[in-house]
Amino acid sequence: MKKLIYIATMALGVLVTSCADDFLATEPTSTIDSEIVNEIMAADVEQLQAYISAGYDEHYWAYQKAENSDELGAMSEMFFTDLMSGDATSPQRLYGWYIWDMQNDNRLSNYRRPRSLWSPMYYIIVNCCNPVIEILANLEEQTETTKSILYQAYALRAYNYFKLINYFQQPYQVNPEALGVPLYTEDATKNIPGRAPVKDVYAQIISDLDAAYALAKGKGFENGKTALSEYSIALIYANVLLFTGDYENAAAYAEEAMKGANLITDAETLVYNGFNSIVDMTETLWGYDVTAETAAIYASFMSYMCPYMPGYAGLGDPVLIDTSLYEKINANDVRKQWWGTTLAPGMSPADVLPEFMIANGWGKTCPNKFLDVALFGGGMFESDIIFQRVAEAYFVAAEAHYLNKDETNAKKVLNDIMKTRIEGYNCTLSGEALYEEICLQKRIELWGEGKRLFDVKRRNESINREGRNFMPEMAVTNFNGQDAVMVFQIPKSELDNNDFITPDQQNP
Amino acid sequence: MAPADATLSFSYVGMKTVDTKVNGRTKIDVVFDADATQIEELIVVAYGTAKKESFTGSASSVSSEDLAKKQVSTVTQALAGVVPGIQATTSSGQPGSGATIYVRGVGSINGTQTPLYIVDGMPYDGSIASINPADIESVSVLKDAVSTSLYGSRASNGVIVITTKGGKKGKSKVTFDAKVGVVSRLVGEYDIMKDPAEYIQTYWMAKKNINGGDGLKAAQDTAMEIGYNPYISTGDVWNLTGTDEETGEVYNYTVDKIIDENGNMVATQRRYTDDWGQLAFRAGKRTEYTLGIEGGNNNTQHFMSVGYLTDEGIARGTDYERLSGRMNISHKVNKFIDLTGSLAYSRGEQNLQYSTGTALANPFFFSQQMAPIYPVYAYDAEGNLILDKNGDKIYDWGDGTYGTRANSPNQNPLATDKANVNQSVTDQVSARGSVSVKLIDGLKFQANVGYDMHNGIQTVHQTGQFGDGKTAGGRTYKYNTGNSTLTSNQLLTYNKQLGENSFDFLLGHETYQYDYRYLYTHKSKFFDQSGNPEFSNAIIMQDMTSYTSKETMESYFANVNYNYADKYYLSASVRTDGSSRFAPDKRWGTFGSVGANWRISQEEFLKDAEWLDNLALKASWGTVGNNGIGNLYAYKTQYQVTNANGDFSVGKAYVGNPDLTWEVSENYNAGVTASLFGGLLTVDFEVYKKYTDKMLYNMPQPPSSGISSIPMNALSMENVGYDYDVALTPIKTKDVLFSVRLTGGHYENKVLNLPESKKENGITSGTQRIMEGYPLYSYYYYKSAGVNPENGKAQWWAEQEILDENGEGTGVMETVKVEDYTKATKYDLGTALPDFTGGIILNFQYKNFDFSAAANYQVGGLTYDSWYATLMHTGDSAGSNWHRDALRAWTPENPNTDVPILDGDRNATTFSDRFLIDSSYFNLNNVSVGYTLPSSLTRALHIQKARIYVVADNVMLRTNRQGLDPRQSLSGSTSVNYSAARTVSAGITLNF
């Protein structure tokens, strides 16, 4: 008997599987444990750049987290804003992803548009910028690299809040006391805020831009054009100051941004540039470098904007310029050729517009401005995305000077850029007519680049779509820039889950 | 040595006892007959078996005989309606896919909701589809705590114990089964428009409403927009010329008159009659062969089988093929040592196709959303097929070549499904080994090891010829997945008989390790476009990633069963589990149970009651755990690394919670088991309450925080219900047997203990709300108030404050109808959970004929019929088909209707109870008719038994709307997936 028990004990010893503590300790490999990330970041604070890179990615990559072709992050923003403000039109609806933007009916809390702009896109702030600022702002020994990471974090945060506040509320001057957006400046797990007043959001934006610009000034493009530079920060700052009414400084910052790149002076280069490369589009201040790995194929900017490609545009849902705006382009303006059917040098005769474009009479107003790199031997829909161009800075400067009652400098800056667009251009207008000229030339210049909507809101311009030749089944909507429909509602998921925003605080 | 005139009694579990006189023989062969009533009484439970009458817990079992009548490819499909208290959902009818089983309601929200699977004694993470149902001896479903608690963790949603066949002593027995059948579509199309005229007239009506009543403009717009004339032109055309006001461009269109200004069709002769719904589908063939050999002697028993199944499915380009083999052996080494081992291998090859949701490549979706005005193939103006140079039909892409479709141009799933590849190949190996040593009398040591390995490779190829892959010159994605589970346990059992007292003790230790590997690769630009999907044929490297994950668990457990005089039974168990899913200090959970069973029929006062075979009352209490939160490392916050053009981009991917620990459910169960009149009537009835606390819940966060949710132990939930299983055999004679079995279950679910900040408004998730005191999956959204007879607009109910003459609020509320849903009020609209689920099984035998039928049904519950809502659009997009209910739409002539005006207003179809539908259904899920050939005939061929049969599965489904399958999910959501299939086969079973 004893022997048997002995054997049994032996057997147990052999067969009982290991039960050490480390048997139950497992580590993820598809993701990285925050403890490990924190250790790496603590050992080398310069690695914090990876958070900021994630922030840049998020602007572009937002589409990957969405399921629909109208949620392409910054790529959608480039043209849904123009569709909303009337300078662009989508003439028919086969796929119809963007028609509700054009109807100014894509703003309710349960719609995709507000939701996808809100998060992850612009509220990446809390995960990408805030932790960097929390660590680096208090760092005693700054290196040139940490300073560079820090100013990018401040600038990106300011940029994102500027976008958020203008999508989700009326412009600053309408009511600085109105409820804006939740203002996070630290780790979101510590504290969930409600809607901060518009003026508080602007105060944060300006304080961040001051901090960013102080650190960035004089550094040039030290991180390349895929990162925010001193010029980008200056341009963001100038735009912010146009909203707050500090026109003098707006002009000064815009003039700083103008130093970031030279204008293209050669007509052919400008007309057939294609806006597909942050290198070849030499006016670029900030953009996203798309590669084969990051190409979004159908769900991409060029898919909608380049009708020569078999994307959404080429298959039937092109985005055209508003005919009335097109008619306003001077016949001698080289930019008139940004629309039309002339093939760019390097495109092959096989690259013709789809038949339906011609048959429907859309040839004249379809964009030639944006041409996918694949037409020139590059990868399919691998075109870069250009967020900021130096040309914008000229128009911002001109407007700021004008609003600052300095017509001389307004005209000077306007002439500086316009003479590269219209041979012999020399503006002799003054007063209201000068202002209208600045605004018109800016609309033409920046068509399809996502700049128009905020101008319409800031200036409370009228959107006029009367007599337009598009989608007869859709009602024509005309609004003013400061009508309630121009403000997005706070997304339903935010209202459902943020205990500090009550239903009566929702936008109308 | 027995005396020569003795009577020997042979008995074997599950077999009728055979008494035979020795008559001086020295070698006696005995043939056992299976005893149907006895088989049901032995239930495989945790770490052993139990006799049904002595079992203190709740379990239902399904025998191999029950399974043999069905022809399901996956065993989970055979449980609905047979096991009381379960609910089965099937999201896809794709051949090779199984059902998801829920035991006694919904047990968790974000933790695992489905039961733990145990195959041959070991937790099983592999694919249930890889187990050939013909190899299964029994399936037990363990429902209450006393039966599941010994599995401790992960058993909170019940346990499904699958036991494969072992060999039996005696002469080798060979079973061969072959069946051939036809698979057809069970759930067909919705009642969509199939007649082009009906569609065009409806579209014209919508156009007319949109443009303010101009019938002529509506007719012209209709002809222009739809892009095709489905009729042979009468030669009557409109010449639309004019000058664009804005651009000054002169336009000039010539378009066929299809419909006139009064909405009458002009042309009537069809140019083509292609029906997408007919052409995309087919009647598929299903064949299945199984061969099983069992036998053995006193020391060694074996079971071996091979099976081969092919099922073509109903969508073209889909099929499933499975080859499976199994070998189970048990061997008695000597008086002390027993060995058992089993090895199973299965290979599955599945050709899928996109068949989920609103993907244009999904033929189930595409064929229904496409207006009946577009052809599949290319036709000329006279309606003749246009053929290519080989004389084959040409697919029409609607891309302008033969016409421009207003709906989904450049798509034709019939063409792409033919050229694309979506193939999934899986190999599964499953091994079990066990050694058991008798140490001293009653004391036994057993060591078991189980290893399951699953390797899968999925190849998705999009052709470069057309469709989605065209721009890239073709693409292939490959997903290599592999997982393995290694479980080993050591059990020490001791049983002791002390007079009328009998004790069974069990002491055990178990380790579990699950490993998963994933490799994803993606290339594009293929040289050979004829269908070779392999990477060697492509030149652009697109994307690649890989990872592994791992889960481990360690457990200690003990169990005691006590029996006094086969009259009173008590059992108690305790188990403690450590799970790698939780932080080290939150890792361990201890669960336990007690149960009692009183066999009243053994008491003196009932012992002589001849009509009563068995009557037992039982009750149990216990706790079980759940660690099944989706993320295997839920206590850790995690980051994701991506490539920012050569630099690192590190973003937050998951916010973990270091305090996360086990979800615990407390179960109460009480029941009665009775068998009367020699088994002619058996009744099982149980009531239960399951209280789940510290639920694993992904608490949604404000999106502005950059975090979608944080896992927490929050909320509680209660399921209170009953289930029953009644079997009645009214006729049982030598030639005729007739029996009826009824199963059913009902439960009430209620969410409790919401966090303080959520108590008032609940937690909203889309159109549903989690609210204290309400069932889970309760809809909380707008309530339709019908249609305004004045203008045809959709209306919703709203609670509004009555204003006085100065426009000031009076504080008094009234219920009003509004036409702007953003002003509507949200109401509680009811839950998706059912009121009742049940089953009916009929068996009839007459001489050599046998017949059986089984049905399962559900009463109540609400389904959101999203597809119906889509098909009820208001005419805002040309070429999208309508449900024929749209014919009832409001018009000035038809003002009293429940369908709003077709005026392109997309808000009319916003979510409301208008699109909720009662999920009740009745599914005749199995009918079989068989004939056993007379033994006089078969004996001559050395065949012991031969049965020919016809069997039909999923024969009929009745729901509240044609085309709707409400069995897709527990939460009430549906999508247009691969529809369920009906299978009718003829076959033969031979026993040698």
Side-chain angles (χ1 to χ4, degrees), chain A residues 1 4 17 19 23 27 29 31-34 50 93 95 105 127 184 289 291-293 380 467 469 473 494, chain B residues 207 244 246 409 439-440 471 488 490 511 542 548 552 554 636-639 643 645 650 703-704 706 876 906:
Chain A
M1 174 70 90
L4 277 170
T17 35
C19 38
F23 177 71
E27 276 293 332
T29 62
T31 52
I32 302 190
D33 191 339
S34 60
R93 51 171 306 182
Y95 304 95
D105 183 16
N127 285 330
Y184 293 80
D289 181 9
T291 63
E293 196 184 342
M380 197 73 71
N469 178 24
E473 76 269 31
E494 182 74 23
Chain B
K207 292 266 76 163
D244 189 293
E246 288 282 334
L439 301 173
I440 51 168
T471 53
S488 62
Q490 303 80 37
T511 55
Q542 290 276 3
T548 60
T552 53
E554 182 167 25
K636 292 173 191 279
T637 293
Q638 297 156 42
Y639 285 81
N643 177 10
N645 289 327
V650 174
S704 63
D876 61 349
R906 65 173 167 161

Side-chain angles (χ1 to χ4, degrees), chain B residues 71-74 179-183 284-288 309-312 322 983-985:
Chain B
Q71 56 177 341
V72 292
S73 308
T74 306
K179 50 177 163 279
V180 179
V182 176
V183 186
K285 194 171 126 190
R286 185 185 190 280
T287 55
E288 187 173 12
L309 165 77
T310 59
D311 186 338
E312 287 185 337
R322 180 180 66 206
T983 315
V984 182
S985 298

Side-chain angles (χ1 to χ4, degrees), chain B residues 50 72 142 170 184 207 295 372 464 527 619 723 755 781 884:
Chain B
V72 292
L142 312 182
S184 56
K207 292 266 76 163
F527 179 68
D723 46 50
Y781 226 74
R884 295 189 70 244

Side-chain angles (χ1 to χ4, degrees), chain B residues 68 97 210 229 265-266 271 326 356 516 736 781 890:
Chain B
S97 51
I210 291 166
N229 186 354
M265 298 304 290
V266 174
R271 195 156 69 89
R326 171 174 292 275
T356 46
Y516 179 80
V736 184
Y781 226 74
W890 184 94

Side-chain angles (χ1 to χ4, degrees), chain A residues 242-320:
Chain A
L242 280 182
F243 273 81
T244 57
D246 181 354
Y247 302 122
E248 187 183 346
N249 280 314
Y253 278 107
E255 298 248 5
E256 287 302 316
M258 280 157 53
K259 298 173 188 163
N262 293 323
L263 290 166
I264 294 174
T265 51
D266 176 61
E268 187 167 307
T269 308
L270 183 70
V271 169
Y272 299 116
N273 180 280
F275 286 68
N276 52 33
S277 158
I278 56 173
V279 177
D280 296 343
M281 173 25 85
T282 51
E283 294 184 358
T284 303
L285 295 180
W286 180 35
Y288 190 88
D289 181 9
V290 178
T291 63
E293 196 184 342
T294 51
I297 323 297
Y298 285 116
S300 70
F301 176 72
M302 283 296 180
S303 168
Y304 283 94
M305 299 306 270
C306 178
Y308 295 95
M309 293 293 292
Y312 281 107
L315 294 175
D317 275 7
V319 176
L320 310 179

